[in-house]
Amino acid sequence: MIKLLTFDLDNTLWEIDPVIIEAEKAMRNWVQQHVPEAVALLEMDQLKGTYKRVLEQFPDVRNHPTNMRKKLLYEVFIQARLEHAHALEMSDKAFAVFYKGRNQITLFHQAEQILKTLSDQYPLIALTNGNANLEMIGIEGYFQAHFSSETEGKPKPHRAMFLRALSTLGVRPEQTIHIGDNPEEDIEAARVLGFHTIWFNENQRLPADRCQPSVEIHSLDQLPEAVHRIAALSLN
């Protein structure tokens, strides 16, 4: 019997790349207005070196997107010769601009209705390597819990998030379906733990042999039926 559905977020319930591009553009515009001397340091060729130095100095932020971006912005502002307190303040404010944009997403067609339908039948838990804010997006009411690389200290495909979801509701892997778009981080990571899996391979953009899901779907509107199929088989 299926007792839990776990969901990836980015590129499973919405497309993330255009969102990040717009969020970074908004952040850059803010920096241009408030710390114009730092704008050139946000160019990719400059930023790569800063990113490398931040990871060398603070390796733990690799799995914490929020702290990583704040540290990166702080270092940019320090390079622009802001004093420590001012650089810290500006990095927090610049991040807030980015984070607001990062959570201005457009759900895939029918995604919210699907979440409502499934949450009426099963508890849902979100598992993500990103730093999406379900409350800002407006879908927190569909989920019992939300775990991430930031809360668990390890990103998928590490087992930490998956095990946390199981322990939260006291269910077993074979009673759980994980739904996601990434063959390795979602489908194979969950499968080896004994989860049922649904691979959202949108429009068949990836080869079918990339992973071994319980069910593969190509549009999100196929998800409820896929869940029903697995649930029916799990009763046998």
Side-chain angles (χ1 to χ4, degrees):
M1 177 180 292
I2 299 301
K3 295 185 177 182
L4 171 64
L5 306 183
T6 57
F7 268 88
D8 175 54
L9 297 176
D10 293 334
N11 294 323
T12 296
L13 295 177
W14 57 78
E15 187 177 4
I16 191 58
D17 289 348
V19 174
I20 297 297
I21 289 169
E22 289 302 312
E24 290 182 338
K25 186 185 299 183
M27 183 189 72
R28 182 187 174 91
N29 290 340
W30 186 93
V31 172
Q32 174 71 64
Q33 182 178 354
H34 294 88
V35 196
E37 61 270 35
V39 171
L41 298 169
L42 292 173
E43 295 294 336
M44 188 55 66
D45 56 344
Q46 295 281 338
L47 208 55
K48 284 180 180 177
T50 307
Y51 181 83
K52 182 179 179 182
R53 289 193 298 275
V54 167
L55 284 181
E56 289 172 350
Q57 190 174 359
F58 306 102
D60 289 347
V61 302
R62 182 184 298 274
N63 299 326
H64 200 292
T66 295
N67 287 347
M68 178 69 228
R69 190 170 288 270
K70 285 185 176 181
K71 292 282 189 187
L72 191 62
L73 287 165
Y74 173 82
E75 290 299 323
V76 164
F77 293 140
I78 288 293
Q79 290 174 47
R81 302 190 182 283
L82 273 64
E83 294 185 357
H84 165 73
H86 193 199
L88 201 59
E89 177 188 4
M90 291 296 101
S91 61
D92 283 343
K93 289 182 176 179
F95 176 79
V97 172
F98 168 83
Y99 197 57
K100 179 181 178 181
R102 188 260 185 269
N103 287 290
Q104 290 180 338
I105 61 91
T106 300
L107 291 165
F108 285 136
H109 179 60
Q110 295 187 343
E112 186 160 11
Q113 181 57 51
I114 289 167
L115 288 175
K116 182 180 185 307
T117 298
L118 292 176
S119 65
D120 286 341
Q121 302 170 37
Y122 305 97
L124 311 184
I125 292 180
L127 306 179
T128 178
N129 287 350
N131 58 350
N133 185 309
L134 298 184
E135 186 174 1
M136 291 175 70
I137 293 168
I139 57 173
E140 77 281 3
Y142 302 118
F143 292 90
Q144 302 258 339
H146 174 196
F147 303 119
S148 69
S149 59
E150 296 191 345
T151 64
E152 306 312 301
K154 297 286 186 181
K156 296 176 295 182
H158 194 278
R159 63 176 56 196
M161 261 186 270
F162 297 101
L163 297 183
R164 180 68 179 277
L166 296 178
S167 65
T168 297
L169 292 186
V171 302
R172 299 190 302 274
E174 65 270 20
Q175 297 173 319
T176 308
I177 303 174
H178 181 66
I179 299 131
D181 73 292
N182 190 287
E184 293 78 30
E185 294 175 1
D186 288 307
I187 303 310
E188 289 303 294
R191 183 183 68 82
V192 299
L193 293 174
F195 284 58
H196 302 278
T197 57
I198 296 175
W199 182 26
F200 177 36
N201 184 14
E202 187 181 15
N203 297 323
Q204 297 179 275
R205 63 184 182 85
L206 294 177
D209 61 1
R210 283 288 299 274
C211 58
Q212 301 177 55
S214 305
V215 179
E216 177 180 341
I217 62 174
H218 306 133
S219 63
L220 209 58
D221 59 6
Q222 297 172 329
L223 180 57
E225 174 58 26
V227 169
H228 176 75
R229 284 169 54 193
I230 294 173
L233 288 171
S234 71
L235 294 174
N236 296 333

